[in-house]
Structure formats: structure tokens, C-alpha cells
Amino acid sequence: MDDKKINLPDCCVACTACITACPVTAATHKFRGPKMVGPAQSRLNFAENDSEASLEYCSNCKNCDIACPSSVPISTLNMLARAKYYETHPHSQRDEMMGHPEKMSKLVAKIPFGAFFANTGMSVGRTLGMIKVMGLADQRPLPAYSDQTFASLFKSKQQPELEKKIVFFPGCIINYNEPQIGLDFIDVMNKNGYQVIFDENFVCCGSPLVTTGFLNEAKENAQTNTNLIKQWVDKGYPILTLCTSCSLMIKDEYQELFEGEIPDMEENAKHIFDACEFLEALYQNDQLNEEFGEVSHEFMYHAPCHLRVQGIGLPAMELLRLISGVKVTDADAGCCGISGNYGYKAENYDLSMKIGNTLFDTVKASGVDTVLTDCGTCRAQIEHGADVKTMHPISILAEAYHNADLSE
């Protein structure tokens, strides 16, 4: 670890900005606050018996990073502290599973009718209480697998031959659970003159590995993805994602977690974009295809924490407001509470729902039947907590372009 990373905790001035912003601290007194987990432990180098007892309460939502006046990557220090803990403590079988969603998904995809059997097994296991025995929250459904992966559907997806190209990093949820969103993305990019390239050698961004303490494996994934991204960047192709957690990880967190250990991360980051961020930039430069058909619907939009910490505004909302008939309101109601795999753990379920209550109440009071958000686990949490349909904003853009074609 280089001197810069070692000295990061010393930039913490021990104010309470992170504690005030932390949704977990607001929901439970058992968490002493972000600065006591990462910065304090890193600075004081506690002995094992004195380690911060509330280490597992940090959800890595990044609200502390947003609030910190000294720009200390507090959540990353918390994740490094968690990884340090697991160097001398075993992982549970539950965390082995939750930290490796790609491994589980690949197994399901290889088995004939694997998605059907896996989805049935999760449903039956939840009914019989087996999910709870595994340490997972049985109050909420686990993400269902798609019959076909995005990778398999991409092979048969027809695209026009276009001079401009982008490389798509789909992430685990779109590849294995919601591939239609990826197909919608291709349609949107084609409409804007870009052919989409998909590199099957990409691996999970590593976010689930980091939050469950598998830092060495996360570093291996970071190395693989960084090498692949560098090859595409050298060809002049931007890298786009549809998951704000994926874009945050490969653009920013790789550098925070593995600074000085993996070449090319900093340069790569200049060419990695959230899809709506990229499209909104096209709009600002008068390059966006604005030939939208009408989409007569009222939506609420939830900005994921991992979008807000990137400091790129709310590009999805800016794009949606260009579509005739769309009415979209910013929920502006804080963290949804799920934070990736955090809210799926049995011990975190009630806390996760308490954190999300303000958002759930805001959605219910609005009367909308559909909430838009860029994060897959946010969509699952909002559907569960607010009992509404959720969609990715890119799917509304795809619908608008489709409606324009129908009206011709």
C-alpha cells in the first residue's frame, strides 16, 4: 500500500458530516458512524479485540463520501477494514454465495432449464423457510434469473453497420436477470448512430466481492476488466454501463481500492460513462437524436446513491424530459436501503426497509405506478417496499424511439 493511501485517514478531521449523512446511523444506534469504522480504525490500528464492533453495518452506499468536506473516501476505507477483518476470520456460506453472484449465475446459465429450476427452487425455499436458514431475508424475493442471458441474446441481435462504436459493460444483473434492458440500450445507441460492441471476456465489476470482504478476488476482477478496457480505449471506443454501481466501481473504486497496484485504471476512467451520462452529453453537444415518439405516462425517478456520488447530476431525468407526454418527478427521498446485497442479508432486512421508508412513502403518496431508476437492486427494493413497477430509464428512451418509428 503506498504512502498516499496510508495517509488518507489522516485527512479526516473527525467532524460529524459523514455521520449526519449516513442512512444507517439514522436508522440504528448500533452503528457508531462511518468515521469510526474506516478512518479511525485505519489511523489507530486497533488490536483485534478492540476492532469496531459495528463494521458490518456499513452498507457502502457512499453517502458519507458525498458529505465529507475533506474528500476522504470513507466508504472505501470501511471496505478495506472489512477485508482486513476477513483475512483472519472465515466467511459464512451465505456470504460466499452473495459475494459471487456471477459464479452462481454462470452455473445456472450452463444447466438446461437452469433458470426455471433455480427460480422454482428459490420460491419453494423461501416458502419452506430454507432461505432464512441460509441467512438470507425470506421476506423479499430473490432476483429471478432470465431464461436467456444478455450474452446469448446479443449474438442474435441485429445491428446496422455504423462507423461510431461503443463498448458495453452490462454487469451481472443485466446479463443474467434483466437482459431486455441491455437490448433496449442497443436500440437507443443504434438510433444515435453508435454500434454496440460486447466483450464476453468482461467479468463482474467486483462490487459484491468488495462489500463481502473478498478483496483479493475483487482485485483479480479489476485486473481483468482494466486490461480489457485498455484494449478498447486504445481503439478509441468509450465504455458504457447501465448500472451505476458498475460504473462507479470500474471508474472510481478501482483507483481507490487498488491505487498503484494496477496500471491504466486512471486513464481508463476518462473513457468510462454511465449510459445516460453519455447520451445527455450528446444532447448538450446537439448530437442526440431527438426524434422521439410520445410516451404518455407519469413516472417518479429515484437517483441511486452510487449515481449521486459520481457527481454527474441526474442525466436520466434530463433525457426523459425531452420526450413528449412523459411527466417525471425526482423522488429526492434518500437511500432506498438495499445497497446491493446488503438488504438481502437476514440481519439487515428490517434496517434496510427502515432506511427506505421515506422513499417508499414518497412513492406511495405520489400515486405513480412506475418508478424509474438506474440501479438493479434499487429497482428490486422499490418494487418490494413501495409495491410499484420499476424500469430502467433507458427502456423509456427505447420505447420513445420505437413509438416514433410506428408513427412514420
Side-chain angles (χ1 to χ4, degrees):
M1 188 179 292
D2 62 18
D3 291 339
K4 184 177 180 182
K5 187 174 287 187
I6 291 173
N7 292 329
L8 276 174
D10 292 331
C11 295
C12 173
V13 297
C15 71
T16 59
C18 63
I19 296 175
T20 302
C22 177
V24 179
T25 304
T28 177
H29 67 277
K30 295 180 180 180
F31 186 38
R32 299 179 190 176
K35 71 177 184 180
M36 287 303 297
V37 180
Q41 282 196 178
S42 301
R43 179 186 291 150
L44 299 177
N45 194 24
F46 292 147
E48 182 177 333
N49 291 337
D50 297 324
S51 294
E52 171 53 53
S54 63
L55 177 63
E56 291 297 324
Y57 277 97
C58 176
S59 68
N60 199 35
C61 70
K62 305 289 183 181
N63 281 285
C64 53
D65 294 19
I66 297 171
C68 180
S70 302
S71 300
V72 176
I74 303 168
S75 57
T76 294
L77 292 174
N78 293 349
M79 293 304 103
L80 291 171
R82 186 174 293 175
K84 186 70 175 176
Y85 172 85
Y86 281 110
E87 287 179 3
T88 55
H89 295 76
H91 280 92
S92 67
Q93 184 178 7
R94 187 273 311 275
D95 284 356
E96 288 278 355
M97 181 178 69
M98 296 300 286
H100 300 84
E102 184 178 50
K103 183 184 294 184
M104 299 292 295
S105 300
K106 283 183 175 179
L107 287 173
V108 170
K110 287 181 180 179
I111 301 170
F113 305 104
F116 170 78
F117 290 120
N119 294 337
T120 302
M122 288 189 293
S123 178
V124 172
R126 184 180 172 207
T127 302
L128 297 179
M130 295 168 62
I131 295 295
K132 189 172 184 179
V133 171
M134 295 171 63
L136 297 170
D138 62 353
Q139 298 96 323
R140 71 166 84 248
L142 292 170
Y145 291 104
S146 171
D147 292 337
Q148 297 185 71
T149 65
F150 172 79
S152 64
L153 292 169
F154 179 82
K155 294 176 181 178
S156 59
K157 177 71 174 176
Q158 297 295 316
Q159 294 188 70
E161 285 293 333
L162 299 168
E163 182 178 352
K164 294 186 292 185
K165 295 176 173 58
I166 64 92
V167 178
F168 179 40
F169 186 98
C172 298
I173 288 179
I174 287 177
N175 196 12
Y176 297 104
N177 305 100
E178 301 181 287
Q180 182 58 49
I181 297 173
L183 299 180
D184 290 342
F185 167 73
I186 293 174
D187 290 341
V188 169
M189 296 312 300
N190 289 169
K191 283 291 186 181
N192 282 279
Y194 286 86
Q195 187 173 343
V196 176
I197 297 171
F198 169 57
D199 191 332
E200 290 193 13
N201 295 309
F202 280 136
V203 294
C204 172
C205 69
S207 182
L209 292 166
V210 170
T211 56
T212 42
F214 295 97
L215 191 62
N216 288 334
E217 291 183 60
K219 183 180 176 181
E220 292 175 5
N221 283 23
Q223 182 71 72
T224 297
N225 289 329
T226 298
N227 291 343
L228 293 170
I229 290 170
K230 176 65 164 57
Q231 294 174 21
W232 293 114
V233 166
D234 285 347
K235 292 183 178 182
Y237 300 157
I239 315 298
L240 271 59
T241 78
L242 285 170
C243 173
T244 48
S245 295
C246 289
S247 61
L248 179 67
M249 177 61 70
I250 61 178
K251 183 164 55 176
D252 296 328
E253 290 184 282
Y254 281 179
Q255 296 180 72
E256 294 175 358
L257 291 162
F258 312 115
E259 185 176 3
E261 300 178 53
I262 302 175
D264 302 317
M265 293 185 299
E266 185 175 357
E267 179 59 32
N268 282 353
K270 301 173 185 177
H271 307 274
I272 298 167
F273 304 92
D274 170 80
C276 289
E277 173 193 16
F278 186 87
L279 291 165
E280 204 268 337
L282 292 183
Y283 171 69
Q284 294 297 334
N285 291 310
D286 296 322
Q287 296 174 351
L288 182 74
N289 177 357
E290 295 182 53
E291 295 180 5
F292 298 116
E294 185 170 344
V295 179
S296 298
H297 207 96
E298 181 176 354
F299 302 101
M300 180 161 279
Y301 174 75
H302 167 67
C305 298
H306 288 179
L307 169 74
R308 292 187 293 106
V309 73
Q310 294 184 50
I312 57 176
L314 303 178
M317 282 197 66
E318 298 302 318
L319 293 168
L320 292 166
R321 286 171 173 164
L322 300 174
I323 302 172
S324 176
V326 167
K327 182 178 180 182
V328 58
T329 305
D330 181 9
D332 193 21
C335 180
C336 77
I338 198 164
S339 292
N341 58 28
Y342 183 85
Y344 284 99
K345 299 176 181 179
E347 67 271 22
N348 293 337
Y349 175 79
D350 289 339
L351 180 58
S352 169
M353 298 301 287
K354 184 177 181 180
I355 292 170
N357 266 337
T358 300
L359 174 60
F360 306 151
D361 290 344
T362 299
V363 172
K364 292 173 182 177
S366 73
V368 300
D369 60 7
T370 306
V371 174
L372 307 177
T373 186
D374 318 74
C375 172
T377 53
C378 287
R379 289 194 291 277
Q381 174 80 331
I382 294 168
E383 286 188 7
H384 178 64
D387 193 26
V388 292
K389 180 181 178 182
T390 60
M391 298 178 68
H392 194 291
I394 208 76
S395 295
I396 306 304
L397 291 174
E399 181 181 351
Y401 283 128
H402 177 68
N403 290 347
D405 289 341
L406 292 177
S407 64
E408 291 180 355

